[in-house]
Amino acid sequence: MNRYPLWKYLLILMVIAFGVVYSIPMLYQPDPAVQITPASSGLAIDEGLQEDMLAKLEASGIQVKLDSTVELNNRSAIIRLADDDEQLPAKSALQDLLGNDWVVALNKVPTTPDWLTALGARPMSLGLDLSGGVHFLMEVDTEAYLNTRQADNVSAIKRDLRGERIGYRLVDADPDTARVIWLGFRDNEALRDGERYLERNYEQFTIDRTDYNDMPGLRLSLSDQEVANIEEEAVKQNLTTISNRVNELGVAEPIVQQQGTNRLLIQLPGVQDTAQAKKVIGRAANLEFRMEAQPGASSATSETFRYMNAARTAKLERDIIITGDVVTNASVSFDENNQPQVNITLSSAGGARMNQATRGNIGRRMGTLFVEQKTRVERTVVDGEVVETTERETTKEIISLATVQSALNSSFRITGVGDINEANELALLLRAGSLAAPMYFVEERTIGPSLGAENIRIGINSLILGMALVVGFMLIKYRAFGAFATVSLCVNILLIVALMSIIGATLTLPGIAGIVLTVGMAVDANVLIFTRIKEELNKGALPQSAIKAGFERAVVTIVDANVTTLIVAAILFAVGTGAVQGFAVTLAFGITTSMFTAIMLTRALTNLVYGRRNVEKLAI
Amino acid sequence: MNGKIIDFMQWRKIAGAASIALFVLSLVFLVVRGINFGLDFTGGALIEVEYVEAAPVQEIRQTLTEAGYRDVTVQLFGSETDVMIRFQADNDPDLGNKVVDLLTASGAELELLRNEFVGPSVGEELRDKGGLGLMLALAVVLVYVAFRFQFKFGIGAVAALIHDVVIIGGIFALFQLEFDLTVLAALLAVIGYSLNDTIVVSDRIRETFQESTETDVVKLINIALTDTLSRTLITSFTTALVLIALLIFGGQMLAGFAEALLIGVVVGTYSSIYVSSNILLATNLTRQDMIPPSREEPDLTEEKPSWLQDD
């Protein structure tokens, strides 16, 4: 009685081996490092550059980790450093050497031995609360995007109808809802032509005949599905732009992902300068190029703008030549007067439009407008309740107004962009692309590196103390069986860590709390079994049959009780975000692994010690 | 059956009355005092700074209020040099640095540890989602237990869970303990824990009903409760041990989590003994209820997957 066949022992040993292999990478501290990535695709890291970088670091008195060279990884290079404190000096030294064509980022690289990496074992990544860094949640203003899209549609429809020589009188966006566009026609014949044309070329609209302003008219409306598609597009494009911008910031292992329908989650581990990060990430900025208005131009065709860096105004035409969207590259250099300038390269279509617009206007002045969308949240108290109104404003200011010397094409430069930092920022924004829709920050968290380290210490200490207390109690209470339970408990923690590492979970402070809690609750399965065995012994059963009956009868209860808890963990994961999800994952893994360790491992240990022989008395 | 049977059910009327009283009182506290929601739920700004010397709490509050920040609360956070400052503010990229500048203007030395901003809409959404999660958890538990055991057990289990959650909420409202995301996680973990307890007891009640020759329902429940008592107490004890470890070492970040769970373990242990059994008696549980309609004979081995079976 109470024997396990060999295969069960082997299975258990295999599971434990699996747990060990996939959890030990956590014991290797990562090395501080700097990562160098080319900013444009044409550049590659050759040996000469590697030597230059190492020489520069040596010259700046920065210690590279012993025996370490430049490691190449895809297109980027990694240099391990001897000490955490040398990361920042190393970054600035290398940036100094390499200039703006390269992105230098701080990084932590794992020191996991190769044989473990080959097995796919790698350390769990640490959440921001443990590693320090910045967390942003941004909301995309999809409504604003929809409005812009509809305004574009209105101009496109006008242009097309004109081109088709269809007699329309009015094309208006509905002032109340962004989904509807109204059209008024000269007569019924024009209406019929217009309808036929729009049905063929503007399939996204549902078209209804209805009078508009006492004219025969059409009502063009977008379906819910269309609106959802457009909004989805805005969010996706913003996601891409933000990812580009984050890459430009030079952060190692950033997270940029969509959350819900219209929010983006951005996590930048290790970043401390939030102000700079926010400025670059959240900026809804763009450029517009327009010709200066002719003297005496009416306000229907011209607009007056203020200068960005001077208390002056100038009048520009309403027609926009191009916007920043057609910019394919932008870099900073210095002009003859040693002032920073931004060199701009346009797409071929953009270049053609620029050429067309400037060809006939040599000698006139062209203005560069900096367009920025800002969000202001106002709180007012109405009837004792705080009411929030979000106000969005768009500011357009002139950066430069310069005389067109010759016809421009796809590459040109703009001057008067402020100091070198502002020029760099503008170039970055132009390179990374503009945001499709304005965004605003709805959540922001910064955790300092010392607090992160403190949280790790807190978590580990709680785990050790919790383990010690529980193990001490189990040994006193159940003696030999307490020892079995202790082994099970340790294997349990090993397995939780291994499973979390494999699925690539992020370890957070609440996650550690979940593991600690699991320690307390996981012994429950063992306790259930042990009290059953004791009960059987009290009933007068012999030790061997008491063990057998104890395990068998407890199993049903254990499974039932744990399945319900598993359900709760699943719900927790479904409705929670971030830290709560981390907690749910640890809880779920803890339950699953504790079932395995309590039922199989404790049983195996019991069988090893007590099985196959006559036992007079159990140490329980 | 050996040993003495503890007559738990003789106090069931008192326990029932006590539970109802506590439950109602908790509801009153929840309504009158309300929950002190943390930043995660209310929205606003939170800044944690560490002073080199003891932090001048009064002065900080005054400085910030004079600088125009609204609803400023300043409290020591773990030690007398560590301060947590909360206030309502618009989002501002430089907020953390601005506050640090204001505070260092008087010559104090300090370091910015943490800087958080949560928009009000996010908080509101979280509250809705958290409430929804609780409801969903309760509904699923009801269905599962009704399916696995019997409908009356389902009601008993859910009643015990609502009892626990409301009383923990009441205690948080009474002492105005801060309710943040980790506390919500703890509350959901309490549901898991208390459920675990209740299921173990229910399982035993079912088994006792099926195997014992005793016919008196009250006595049967007493037998089941006595049999599971030592397990119930030991598990509560080990769980309480790790929670105490968290309270000692977990610092302020995990204090709310550990407190909520500790209360939950105590209340959950009590409710698994008294609340669900009381409901079972109140709904006139009979032996007939325990005979599964589809199964002629309860067979324990049938429930086990093959890998769990002993050779």
Side-chain angles (χ1 to χ4, degrees):
Chain A
M1 206 187 256
N2 293 327
R3 285 179 217 170
Y4 257 6
L6 186 62
W7 70 268
K8 278 204 183 182
Y9 286 119
L10 287 179
L11 176 73
I12 291 168
L13 281 178
M14 271 168 62
V15 173
I16 295 176
F18 155 87
V20 171
V21 167
Y22 287 94
S23 55
I24 41 172
M26 288 300 284
L27 296 179
Y28 293 92
Q29 294 283 330
D31 282 334
V34 283
Q35 181 179 340
I36 301 100
T37 319
S40 62
S41 52
L43 296 165
I45 297 156
D46 57 23
E47 275 181 31
L49 186 65
Q50 295 179 25
E51 277 166 29
D52 286 352
M53 290 195 293
L54 291 177
K56 173 78 180 176
L57 288 181
E58 207 184 326
S60 316
I62 292 154
Q63 292 231 314
V64 172
K65 196 188 174 197
L66 216 59
D67 301 333
S68 147
T69 48
V70 180
E71 296 163 47
L72 296 175
N73 179 5
N74 283 334
R75 289 174 52 234
S76 57
I78 285 168
I79 303 176
R80 295 174 192 254
L81 301 171
D83 193 31
D84 277 339
D85 297 340
E86 312 220 316
Q87 268 185 315
L88 281 174
K91 180 183 167 168
S92 50
L94 288 177
Q95 195 76 69
D96 204 36
L97 171 77
L98 298 165
N100 282 325
D101 293 337
W102 300 80
V103 177
V104 182
L106 306 184
N107 203 342
K108 292 255 182 190
V109 283
T111 49
T112 322
D114 290 341
W115 64 274
L116 279 173
T117 320
L119 290 169
R122 46 176 199 273
M124 235 186 290
S125 50
L126 299 182
L128 284 183
D129 52 353
L130 300 181
S131 68
V134 204
H135 156 118
F136 297 126
L137 193 62
M138 300 186 77
E139 197 162 286
V140 182
D141 188 352
T142 48
E143 193 67 32
Y145 180 65
L146 192 60
N147 283 327
T148 327
R149 281 286 296 261
Q150 287 289 67
D152 288 349
N153 280 334
V154 167
S155 359
I157 290 172
K158 280 184 186 168
R159 201 171 50 231
D160 289 353
L161 291 180
R162 254 198 320 264
E164 294 289 316
R165 301 186 179 283
I166 296 168
Y168 73 93
R169 287 269 185 272
L170 288 171
V171 181
D172 292 332
D174 191 294
D176 299 324
T177 160
R179 298 165 166 229
V180 176
I181 293 175
W182 296 95
L183 277 85
F185 290 90
R186 188 178 54 203
D187 50 36
N188 281 322
E189 196 191 339
L191 173 72
R192 265 196 306 280
D193 290 347
E195 188 177 17
R196 206 171 321 127
Y197 179 80
L198 292 171
E199 267 171 358
R200 264 203 315 273
N201 296 291
Y202 288 83
E203 285 166 353
Q204 70 268 42
F205 289 105
T206 311
I207 301 173
D208 299 304
R209 278 194 193 196
T210 166
D211 279 2
Y212 180 58
N213 277 4
D214 301 327
M215 278 176 275
L218 293 175
R219 179 180 186 272
L220 271 53
S221 55
L222 289 170
S223 67
D224 287 348
Q225 187 54 47
E226 273 302 327
V227 171
N229 287 346
I230 290 172
E231 291 181 348
E232 175 73 17
E233 202 181 295
V235 175
K236 284 281 175 293
Q237 195 187 325
N238 274 15
L239 184 73
T240 314
T241 305
I242 295 279
S243 303
N244 288 340
R245 290 184 182 180
V246 166
N247 290 338
E248 294 266 355
L249 272 178
V251 182
E253 292 173 41
I255 296 172
V256 182
Q257 62 192 39
Q258 189 173 348
Q259 196 169 79
T261 52
N262 63 343
R263 294 213 176 113
L264 299 181
L265 172 77
I266 299 147
Q267 292 200 336
L268 312 174
V271 167
Q272 291 309 320
D273 187 357
T274 33
Q276 164 65 12
K278 281 184 80 167
K279 223 163 126 187
V280 174
I281 289 171
R283 206 144 183 195
N286 206 339
L287 288 185
E288 281 178 14
F289 295 93
R290 307 184 188 201
M291 298 309 297
E292 191 183 24
Q294 304 279 20
S298 76
S299 68
T301 57
S302 68
E303 258 177 290
T304 304
F305 296 101
R306 288 194 312 127
Y307 273 80
M308 197 173 200
N309 299 317
R312 279 185 291 149
T313 59
K315 238 181 185 184
L316 300 183
E317 286 184 356
R318 280 190 188 271
D319 278 339
I320 299 165
I321 305 169
I322 53 160
T323 64
D325 300 345
V326 295
V327 171
T328 53
N329 199 11
S331 62
V332 177
S333 60
F334 292 93
D335 65 8
E336 312 75 50
N337 307 321
N338 219 15
Q339 290 299 308
Q341 63 178 19
V342 177
N343 306 307
I344 292 177
T345 314
L346 303 178
S347 66
S348 55
R353 250 187 286 165
M354 186 54 110
N355 186 273
Q356 198 185 7
T358 48
R359 212 167 34 206
N361 287 313
I362 295 171
R364 277 181 69 189
R365 293 203 292 176
M366 185 177 74
T368 308
L369 272 178
F370 186 80
V371 185
E372 186 164 27
Q373 267 130 2
K374 284 181 184 158
T375 317
R376 236 192 12 231
V377 179
E378 294 271 346
R379 286 199 186 76
T380 41
V381 180
V382 179
D383 300 333
E385 287 217 20
V386 182
V387 177
E388 280 217 359
T389 44
T390 326
E391 271 185 44
R392 288 180 203 111
E393 51 184 20
T394 306
T395 56
K396 295 188 177 187
E397 289 170 325
I398 297 172
I399 301 180
S400 68
L401 190 61
T403 311
V404 179
Q405 308 284 1
S406 60
L408 298 174
N409 44 45
S410 57
S411 68
F412 59 95
R413 58 179 197 173
I414 51 174
T415 50
V417 286
D419 66 18
I420 180 70
N421 289 329
E422 285 170 85
N424 269 325
E425 213 179 288
L426 179 64
L428 189 158
L429 289 174
L430 287 171
R431 269 202 308 273
S434 62
L435 294 170
M439 299 180 81
Y440 43 98
F441 289 89
V442 285
E443 196 179 292
E444 180 195 336
R445 289 165 201 266
T446 313
I447 294 116
S450 55
L451 190 63
E454 169 72 10
N455 282 343
I456 293 182
R457 204 179 54 79
I458 279 174
I460 290 174
N461 283 349
S462 320
L463 187 62
I464 291 172
L465 180 64
M467 278 284 281
L469 289 173
V470 170
V471 164
F473 172 78
M474 289 301 279
L475 285 177
I476 293 167
K477 178 81 189 162
Y478 292 113
R479 296 184 289 163
F481 283 81
F484 303 154
T486 304
V487 175
S488 289
L489 199 58
C490 294
V491 172
N492 194 12
I493 292 180
L494 215 59
L495 289 178
I496 297 175
V497 173
L499 281 175
M500 288 181 66
S501 301
I502 286 175
I503 64 155
T506 304
L507 190 65
T508 59
L509 189 57
I512 297 181
I515 296 180
V516 177
L517 183 64
T518 307
V519 169
M521 287 170 64
V523 290
D524 178 52
N526 284 312
V527 171
L528 272 167
I529 294 166
F530 299 162
T531 45
R532 274 290 186 164
I533 295 177
K534 274 191 168 177
E535 240 175 72
E536 297 295 323
L537 289 173
N538 286 340
K539 279 191 205 162
L542 291 169
Q544 294 290 5
S545 48
I547 292 176
K548 187 170 160 56
F551 271 96
E552 284 184 0
R553 304 191 75 161
V555 164
V556 185
T557 315
I558 294 171
V559 171
D560 256 331
N562 284 326
V563 164
T564 39
T565 315
L566 215 49
I567 293 174
V568 173
I571 292 172
L572 205 60
F573 187 82
V575 301
T577 52
V580 176
Q581 282 187 331
F583 173 76
V585 169
T586 27
L587 193 65
F589 282 152
I591 292 162
T592 320
T593 53
S594 80
M595 273 162 68
F596 167 80
T597 52
I599 297 169
M600 296 248 333
L601 181 57
T602 311
R603 184 70 195 270
L605 291 170
T606 314
N607 285 357
L608 262 184
V609 175
Y610 288 109
R612 292 169 198 270
R613 64 190 173 94
N614 251 333
V615 182
E616 296 285 310
K617 206 171 172 301
L618 296 178
I620 188 165
Chain B
M1 188 60 43
N2 286 343
K4 199 172 137 249
I5 297 162
I6 305 169
D7 190 1
F8 284 100
M9 288 295 108
Q10 67 174 309
W11 300 295
R12 73 187 175 96
K13 295 220 165 76
I14 304 170
S19 280
I20 292 171
L22 267 178
F23 187 82
V24 171
L25 210 62
S26 295
L27 282 182
V28 170
F29 283 131
L30 280 172
V31 171
V32 175
R33 297 192 66 129
I35 293 257
N36 174 21
F37 281 110
L39 181 78
D40 295 327
F41 295 98
T42 56
L46 178 153
I47 286 167
E48 192 186 331
V49 289
E50 190 180 14
Y51 277 75
V52 174
E53 283 157 20
V57 175
Q58 285 296 335
E59 203 183 302
I60 296 171
R61 188 176 301 129
Q62 201 181 340
T63 311
L64 292 179
T65 310
E66 277 169 12
Y69 294 106
R70 281 159 295 151
D71 305 338
V72 181
T73 59
V74 180
Q75 61 193 101
L76 291 175
F77 194 66
S79 73
E80 62 171 8
T81 53
D82 222 2
V83 191
M84 193 170 75
I85 306 160
R86 291 169 52 177
F87 50 87
Q88 289 296 325
D90 302 335
N91 193 19
D92 173 354
D94 278 330
L95 196 61
N97 297 332
K98 278 185 189 160
V99 170
V100 170
D101 287 348
L102 274 172
L103 297 181
T104 42
S106 62
E109 271 183 71
L110 54 94
E111 187 194 352
L112 180 66
L113 291 182
R114 186 154 64 115
N115 170 12
E116 301 187 356
F117 167 82
V118 177
S121 60
V122 178
E124 201 172 298
E125 212 173 282
L126 210 60
R127 235 175 328 185
D128 293 346
K129 265 184 146 182
L132 185 76
L134 277 177
M135 297 289 197
L136 201 64
L138 292 177
V140 173
V141 165
L142 180 70
V143 171
Y144 180 82
V145 177
F147 169 74
R148 256 328 250 115
F149 292 83
Q150 208 266 333
F151 188 61
K152 290 173 187 174
F153 281 93
I155 298 180
V158 168
L161 293 186
I162 295 177
H163 171 267
D164 298 350
V165 169
V166 168
I167 288 178
I168 298 171
I171 293 175
F172 265 73
L174 174 64
F175 295 107
Q176 289 290 295
L177 300 172
E178 188 175 318
F179 193 99
D180 59 15
L181 261 187
T182 59
V183 176
L184 179 70
L187 209 57
L188 288 156
V190 166
I191 292 190
Y193 177 85
S194 164
L195 190 61
N196 201 308
D197 250 11
T198 307
I199 299 280
V200 170
V201 171
S202 303
D203 215 62
R204 198 51 176 255
I205 291 177
R206 174 171 64 179
E207 189 186 319
T208 315
F209 269 57
Q210 284 162 351
E211 292 184 356
S212 172
T213 46
E214 180 62 60
T215 49
D216 180 24
V217 175
V218 172
K219 203 154 180 202
L220 282 168
I221 289 181
N222 277 332
I223 293 171
L225 288 176
T226 310
D227 286 347
T228 48
L229 182 69
S230 87
R231 174 265 156 193
T232 307
L233 293 183
I234 290 170
T235 302
S236 304
F237 182 68
T238 56
T239 311
L241 281 181
V242 296
L243 291 174
I244 288 166
L246 277 181
L247 263 185
I248 295 174
F249 280 136
Q252 288 287 320
M253 296 270 278
L254 291 178
F257 177 83
E259 281 160 10
L261 263 167
L262 211 51
I263 301 167
V265 167
V266 174
V267 180
T269 305
Y270 159 84
S271 77
S272 72
I273 295 177
Y274 277 106
V275 177
S276 50
S277 336
N278 241 338
I279 299 274
L280 289 178
L281 286 177
T283 52
N284 289 320
L285 185 76
T286 60
R287 286 184 75 138
Q288 276 70 42
D289 287 338
M290 287 296 92
I291 298 163
S294 58
R295 288 180 211 140
E296 289 298 285
E297 198 175 302
D299 179 7
L300 289 173
T301 54
E302 182 203 51
E303 325 243 339
K304 275 189 296 183
S306 64
W307 59 272
L308 290 176
Q309 271 167 29
D310 195 36
D311 289 277

